[in-house]
Amino acid sequence: MSTNAAFPPYEMTDDSGNIVGIDAEIAAAIAEKLGLELEILDMDFDGALAAPQSGKSDIVMAGVTVNEERQLVLDFTETYANGVQKVIVPEGSDITSIEDMQGKKIGTQRGTTGYIYCSDTPENGGYGEDAVTGYEDGATAVQALMNGQADCVVIDNAPAQEYVKANPGLKILDTEFANEDYAIGVAKGNTALQDALNTALAELQADGTIQSIIDKYIPAEAE
Ligand code: GLN
């Protein structure tokens, strides 16, 4: 499994250096069902996406959003989670909606859908390539926000929550930038693996395993 372990709570490194998180645990449960040994390779997000096609990994699991461009080089399983692109700003920022992002320095993670949407032309709902920086990973993008190099960061909701929790002085705008589906990617044409993964996923969904893994990392908000 190729991944980018800077995307909590889907994948991150614990104090002992192990890669943990929702994707790591779902992958472990799938591997157990299929009688396979799970090996997790940490790399940048672009590399993780390219790895199945080049044979460096068998699957990519990295909170990967299914989109048409990626479907040209990867085949995807059924969806196992949903993601929403959100905007992180410093408390007191004059950015209060996605319209206010016009003319601002936007931070994203390189190669992600957040980068793809924001760097698109204004006619297509983006802000133009010059407005957007693709940082190495989510942690680096948030660091740039903290030290004022970026005015806002567009990233998936679950890691946004984690980064805001870990860095006082940041908040998440209410507005949603985009709604997405996460799935596991395999090399184009590897239908044997895709089918096996879908069967395992369906079983793990039916017996509640996937939901309990997600609930463990994303506790339902207290009312
Ligand atoms: N869901 C986003 C995407 O697929 C971000 C994933 C990530 O940064 N790991 O582009």
Side-chain angles (χ1 to χ4, degrees), residues 108-131:
T108 62
Q109 311 170 84
R110 199 162 57 214
T112 63
T113 50
Y115 178 85
I116 296 166
Y117 304 135
C118 291
S119 61
D120 210 335
T121 57
E123 301 81 69
N124 288 329
Y127 304 91
E129 240 170 76
D130 292 345

PDB file of all heavy atoms in Angstrom, residues 108-131:
ATOM      1  N   THR A 108      -2.314  24.601  -0.499  1.00  0.00           N
ATOM      2  CA  THR A 108      -2.935  23.278  -0.675  1.00  0.00           C
ATOM      3  C   THR A 108      -1.821  22.243  -0.567  1.00  0.00           C
ATOM      4  O   THR A 108      -0.647  22.599  -0.456  1.00  0.00           O
ATOM      5  CB  THR A 108      -3.588  23.135  -2.068  1.00  0.00           C
ATOM      6  OG1 THR A 108      -2.563  23.271  -3.057  1.00  0.00           O
ATOM      7  CG2 THR A 108      -4.661  24.185  -2.319  1.00  0.00           C
ATOM      8  N   GLN A 109      -2.205  20.967  -0.650  1.00  0.00           N
ATOM      9  CA  GLN A 109      -1.206  19.923  -0.758  1.00  0.00           C
ATOM     10  C   GLN A 109      -1.009  19.633  -2.235  1.00  0.00           C
ATOM     11  O   GLN A 109      -1.988  19.481  -2.966  1.00  0.00           O
ATOM     12  CB  GLN A 109      -1.671  18.633  -0.109  1.00  0.00           C
ATOM     13  CG  GLN A 109      -2.228  18.776   1.264  1.00  0.00           C
ATOM     14  CD  GLN A 109      -2.859  17.476   1.658  1.00  0.00           C
ATOM     15  OE1 GLN A 109      -2.187  16.571   2.123  1.00  0.00           O
ATOM     16  NE2 GLN A 109      -4.153  17.357   1.419  1.00  0.00           N
ATOM     17  N   ARG A 110       0.246  19.463  -2.613  1.00  0.00           N
ATOM     18  CA  ARG A 110       0.574  19.201  -4.018  1.00  0.00           C
ATOM     19  C   ARG A 110      -0.184  17.969  -4.540  1.00  0.00           C
ATOM     20  O   ARG A 110      -0.262  16.960  -3.869  1.00  0.00           O
ATOM     21  CB  ARG A 110       2.089  18.950  -4.102  1.00  0.00           C
ATOM     22  CG  ARG A 110       2.676  19.105  -5.460  1.00  0.00           C
ATOM     23  CD  ARG A 110       4.170  19.277  -5.377  1.00  0.00           C
ATOM     24  NE  ARG A 110       4.807  18.174  -4.677  1.00  0.00           N
ATOM     25  CZ  ARG A 110       5.894  18.319  -3.912  1.00  0.00           C
ATOM     26  NH1 ARG A 110       6.440  19.496  -3.744  1.00  0.00           N
ATOM     27  NH2 ARG A 110       6.426  17.275  -3.316  1.00  0.00           N
ATOM     28  N   GLY A 111      -0.723  18.090  -5.736  1.00  0.00           N
ATOM     29  CA  GLY A 111      -1.321  16.923  -6.398  1.00  0.00           C
ATOM     30  C   GLY A 111      -2.703  16.538  -5.903  1.00  0.00           C
ATOM     31  O   GLY A 111      -3.263  15.546  -6.362  1.00  0.00           O
ATOM     32  N   THR A 112      -3.266  17.296  -4.988  1.00  0.00           N
ATOM     33  CA  THR A 112      -4.567  16.906  -4.436  1.00  0.00           C
ATOM     34  C   THR A 112      -5.710  17.612  -5.160  1.00  0.00           C
ATOM     35  O   THR A 112      -5.505  18.579  -5.901  1.00  0.00           O
ATOM     36  CB  THR A 112      -4.663  17.257  -2.935  1.00  0.00           C
ATOM     37  OG1 THR A 112      -4.568  18.682  -2.797  1.00  0.00           O
ATOM     38  CG2 THR A 112      -3.551  16.598  -2.149  1.00  0.00           C
ATOM     39  N   THR A 113      -6.920  17.152  -4.892  1.00  0.00           N
ATOM     40  CA  THR A 113      -8.088  17.788  -5.507  1.00  0.00           C
ATOM     41  C   THR A 113      -8.218  19.226  -5.037  1.00  0.00           C
ATOM     42  O   THR A 113      -8.666  20.079  -5.791  1.00  0.00           O
ATOM     43  CB  THR A 113      -9.371  16.994  -5.187  1.00  0.00           C
ATOM     44  OG1 THR A 113      -9.425  16.746  -3.786  1.00  0.00           O
ATOM     45  CG2 THR A 113      -9.405  15.681  -5.934  1.00  0.00           C
ATOM     46  N   GLY A 114      -7.815  19.514  -3.809  1.00  0.00           N
ATOM     47  CA  GLY A 114      -7.837  20.906  -3.329  1.00  0.00           C
ATOM     48  C   GLY A 114      -7.001  21.792  -4.241  1.00  0.00           C
ATOM     49  O   GLY A 114      -7.422  22.897  -4.628  1.00  0.00           O
ATOM     50  N   TYR A 115      -5.816  21.301  -4.611  1.00  0.00           N
ATOM     51  CA  TYR A 115      -4.964  22.054  -5.538  1.00  0.00           C
ATOM     52  C   TYR A 115      -5.653  22.167  -6.907  1.00  0.00           C
ATOM     53  O   TYR A 115      -5.691  23.241  -7.508  1.00  0.00           O
ATOM     54  CB  TYR A 115      -3.582  21.385  -5.703  1.00  0.00           C
ATOM     55  CG  TYR A 115      -2.727  22.140  -6.693  1.00  0.00           C
ATOM     56  CD1 TYR A 115      -1.977  23.243  -6.280  1.00  0.00           C
ATOM     57  CD2 TYR A 115      -2.736  21.817  -8.055  1.00  0.00           C
ATOM     58  CE1 TYR A 115      -1.242  23.989  -7.188  1.00  0.00           C
ATOM     59  CE2 TYR A 115      -2.008  22.555  -8.972  1.00  0.00           C
ATOM     60  CZ  TYR A 115      -1.257  23.642  -8.535  1.00  0.00           C
ATOM     61  OH  TYR A 115      -0.544  24.388  -9.441  1.00  0.00           O
ATOM     62  N   ILE A 116      -6.195  21.066  -7.375  1.00  0.00           N
ATOM     63  CA  ILE A 116      -6.805  21.046  -8.719  1.00  0.00           C
ATOM     64  C   ILE A 116      -7.953  22.064  -8.804  1.00  0.00           C
ATOM     65  O   ILE A 116      -8.020  22.863  -9.738  1.00  0.00           O
ATOM     66  CB  ILE A 116      -7.287  19.611  -9.083  1.00  0.00           C
ATOM     67  CG1 ILE A 116      -6.085  18.654  -9.159  1.00  0.00           C
ATOM     68  CG2 ILE A 116      -8.069  19.607 -10.392  1.00  0.00           C
ATOM     69  CD1 ILE A 116      -6.445  17.166  -9.172  1.00  0.00           C
ATOM     70  N   TYR A 117      -8.859  22.077  -7.807  1.00  0.00           N
ATOM     71  CA  TYR A 117      -9.987  23.024  -7.850  1.00  0.00           C
ATOM     72  C   TYR A 117      -9.499  24.469  -7.776  1.00  0.00           C
ATOM     73  O   TYR A 117      -9.925  25.319  -8.551  1.00  0.00           O
ATOM     74  CB  TYR A 117     -10.950  22.830  -6.681  1.00  0.00           C
ATOM     75  CG  TYR A 117     -11.525  21.450  -6.512  1.00  0.00           C
ATOM     76  CD1 TYR A 117     -11.580  20.856  -5.253  1.00  0.00           C
ATOM     77  CD2 TYR A 117     -12.020  20.749  -7.596  1.00  0.00           C
ATOM     78  CE1 TYR A 117     -12.108  19.594  -5.082  1.00  0.00           C
ATOM     79  CE2 TYR A 117     -12.552  19.481  -7.419  1.00  0.00           C
ATOM     80  CZ  TYR A 117     -12.583  18.908  -6.174  1.00  0.00           C
ATOM     81  OH  TYR A 117     -13.105  17.673  -6.005  1.00  0.00           O
ATOM     82  N   CYS A 118      -8.626  24.739  -6.816  1.00  0.00           N
ATOM     83  CA  CYS A 118      -8.239  26.136  -6.555  1.00  0.00           C
ATOM     84  C   CYS A 118      -7.410  26.712  -7.695  1.00  0.00           C
ATOM     85  O   CYS A 118      -7.517  27.897  -7.998  1.00  0.00           O
ATOM     86  CB  CYS A 118      -7.459  26.239  -5.248  1.00  0.00           C
ATOM     87  SG  CYS A 118      -8.468  25.938  -3.808  1.00  0.00           S
ATOM     88  N   SER A 119      -6.588  25.891  -8.343  1.00  0.00           N
ATOM     89  CA  SER A 119      -5.707  26.411  -9.390  1.00  0.00           C
ATOM     90  C   SER A 119      -6.425  26.531 -10.733  1.00  0.00           C
ATOM     91  O   SER A 119      -5.882  27.052 -11.695  1.00  0.00           O
ATOM     92  CB  SER A 119      -4.465  25.524  -9.525  1.00  0.00           C
ATOM     93  OG  SER A 119      -4.861  24.227  -9.877  1.00  0.00           O
ATOM     94  N   ASP A 120      -7.660  26.050 -10.794  1.00  0.00           N
ATOM     95  CA  ASP A 120      -8.450  26.152 -12.030  1.00  0.00           C
ATOM     96  C   ASP A 120      -8.735  27.636 -12.339  1.00  0.00           C
ATOM     97  O   ASP A 120      -8.534  28.503 -11.496  1.00  0.00           O
ATOM     98  CB  ASP A 120      -9.762  25.372 -11.866  1.00  0.00           C
ATOM     99  CG  ASP A 120     -10.257  24.809 -13.198  1.00  0.00           C
ATOM    100  OD1 ASP A 120      -9.910  25.374 -14.245  1.00  0.00           O
ATOM    101  OD2 ASP A 120     -11.002  23.811 -13.166  1.00  0.00           O
ATOM    102  N   THR A 121      -9.209  27.893 -13.536  1.00  0.00           N
ATOM    103  CA  THR A 121      -9.481  29.283 -13.929  1.00  0.00           C
ATOM    104  C   THR A 121     -10.715  29.813 -13.182  1.00  0.00           C
ATOM    105  O   THR A 121     -11.586  29.030 -12.781  1.00  0.00           O
ATOM    106  CB  THR A 121      -9.789  29.354 -15.438  1.00  0.00           C
ATOM    107  OG1 THR A 121     -10.899  28.475 -15.700  1.00  0.00           O
ATOM    108  CG2 THR A 121      -8.599  28.925 -16.269  1.00  0.00           C
ATOM    109  N   PRO A 122     -10.807  31.133 -13.011  1.00  0.00           N
ATOM    110  CA  PRO A 122     -11.976  31.709 -12.335  1.00  0.00           C
ATOM    111  C   PRO A 122     -13.289  31.282 -13.003  1.00  0.00           C
ATOM    112  O   PRO A 122     -14.283  31.047 -12.308  1.00  0.00           O
ATOM    113  CB  PRO A 122     -11.750  33.215 -12.467  1.00  0.00           C
ATOM    114  CG  PRO A 122     -10.268  33.362 -12.538  1.00  0.00           C
ATOM    115  CD  PRO A 122      -9.773  32.150 -13.285  1.00  0.00           C
ATOM    116  N   GLU A 123     -13.303  31.134 -14.346  1.00  0.00           N
ATOM    117  CA  GLU A 123     -14.538  30.708 -15.038  1.00  0.00           C
ATOM    118  C   GLU A 123     -14.988  29.335 -14.538  1.00  0.00           C
ATOM    119  O   GLU A 123     -16.163  29.006 -14.551  1.00  0.00           O
ATOM    120  CB  GLU A 123     -14.335  30.602 -16.558  1.00  0.00           C
ATOM    121  CG  GLU A 123     -13.908  31.875 -17.257  1.00  0.00           C
ATOM    122  CD  GLU A 123     -12.415  32.142 -17.148  1.00  0.00           C
ATOM    123  OE1 GLU A 123     -11.633  31.395 -17.762  1.00  0.00           O
ATOM    124  OE2 GLU A 123     -12.018  33.079 -16.438  1.00  0.00           O
ATOM    125  N   ASN A 124     -13.997  28.513 -14.115  1.00  0.00           N
ATOM    126  CA  ASN A 124     -14.334  27.168 -13.640  1.00  0.00           C
ATOM    127  C   ASN A 124     -14.412  27.100 -12.123  1.00  0.00           C
ATOM    128  O   ASN A 124     -14.344  26.015 -11.534  1.00  0.00           O
ATOM    129  CB  ASN A 124     -13.293  26.161 -14.137  1.00  0.00           C
ATOM    130  CG  ASN A 124     -13.427  25.906 -15.622  1.00  0.00           C
ATOM    131  OD1 ASN A 124     -14.521  25.980 -16.172  1.00  0.00           O
ATOM    132  ND2 ASN A 124     -12.322  25.630 -16.287  1.00  0.00           N
ATOM    133  N   GLY A 125     -14.508  28.254 -11.481  1.00  0.00           N
ATOM    134  CA  GLY A 125     -14.668  28.238 -10.026  1.00  0.00           C
ATOM    135  C   GLY A 125     -13.356  28.247  -9.249  1.00  0.00           C
ATOM    136  O   GLY A 125     -13.356  28.109  -8.029  1.00  0.00           O
ATOM    137  N   GLY A 126     -12.217  28.383  -9.964  1.00  0.00           N
ATOM    138  CA  GLY A 126     -10.927  28.410  -9.276  1.00  0.00           C
ATOM    139  C   GLY A 126     -10.422  29.835  -9.085  1.00  0.00           C
ATOM    140  O   GLY A 126     -11.160  30.801  -9.285  1.00  0.00           O
ATOM    141  N   TYR A 127      -9.159  29.952  -8.721  1.00  0.00           N
ATOM    142  CA  TYR A 127      -8.568  31.257  -8.455  1.00  0.00           C
ATOM    143  C   TYR A 127      -7.336  31.503  -9.326  1.00  0.00           C
ATOM    144  O   TYR A 127      -6.640  32.495  -9.163  1.00  0.00           O
ATOM    145  CB  TYR A 127      -8.191  31.366  -6.971  1.00  0.00           C
ATOM    146  CG  TYR A 127      -9.380  31.118  -6.075  1.00  0.00           C
ATOM    147  CD1 TYR A 127      -9.663  29.836  -5.618  1.00  0.00           C
ATOM    148  CD2 TYR A 127     -10.242  32.157  -5.740  1.00  0.00           C
ATOM    149  CE1 TYR A 127     -10.785  29.594  -4.833  1.00  0.00           C
ATOM    150  CE2 TYR A 127     -11.367  31.924  -4.956  1.00  0.00           C
ATOM    151  CZ  TYR A 127     -11.632  30.641  -4.512  1.00  0.00           C
ATOM    152  OH  TYR A 127     -12.742  30.404  -3.746  1.00  0.00           O
ATOM    153  N   GLY A 128      -7.040  30.576 -10.229  1.00  0.00           N
ATOM    154  CA  GLY A 128      -5.876  30.710 -11.106  1.00  0.00           C
ATOM    155  C   GLY A 128      -4.636  30.125 -10.458  1.00  0.00           C
ATOM    156  O   GLY A 128      -4.479  30.165  -9.240  1.00  0.00           O
ATOM    157  N   GLU A 129      -3.759  29.577 -11.298  1.00  0.00           N
ATOM    158  CA  GLU A 129      -2.569  28.871 -10.801  1.00  0.00           C
ATOM    159  C   GLU A 129      -1.674  29.748  -9.930  1.00  0.00           C
ATOM    160  O   GLU A 129      -1.082  29.267  -8.960  1.00  0.00           O
ATOM    161  CB  GLU A 129      -1.764  28.378 -11.995  1.00  0.00           C
ATOM    162  CG  GLU A 129      -1.595  26.876 -12.025  1.00  0.00           C
ATOM    163  CD  GLU A 129      -1.011  26.413 -13.331  1.00  0.00           C
ATOM    164  OE1 GLU A 129       0.201  26.596 -13.512  1.00  0.00           O
ATOM    165  OE2 GLU A 129      -1.780  25.900 -14.184  1.00  0.00           O
ATOM    166  N   ASP A 130      -1.563  31.032 -10.281  1.00  0.00           N
ATOM    167  CA  ASP A 130      -0.644  31.908  -9.548  1.00  0.00           C
ATOM    168  C   ASP A 130      -1.057  32.121  -8.098  1.00  0.00           C
ATOM    169  O   ASP A 130      -0.242  32.472  -7.257  1.00  0.00           O
ATOM    170  CB  ASP A 130      -0.550  33.281 -10.240  1.00  0.00           C
ATOM    171  CG  ASP A 130       0.131  33.169 -11.588  1.00  0.00           C
ATOM    172  OD1 ASP A 130       0.761  32.114 -11.833  1.00  0.00           O
ATOM    173  OD2 ASP A 130       0.026  34.115 -12.389  1.00  0.00           O
ATOM    174  N   ALA A 131      -2.347  31.918  -7.822  1.00  0.00           N
ATOM    175  CA  ALA A 131      -2.850  32.171  -6.470  1.00  0.00           C
ATOM    176  C   ALA A 131      -2.565  31.004  -5.527  1.00  0.00           C
ATOM    177  O   ALA A 131      -2.696  31.142  -4.310  1.00  0.00           O
ATOM    178  CB  ALA A 131      -4.355  32.426  -6.521  1.00  0.00           C
TER     179      ALA A 131
END
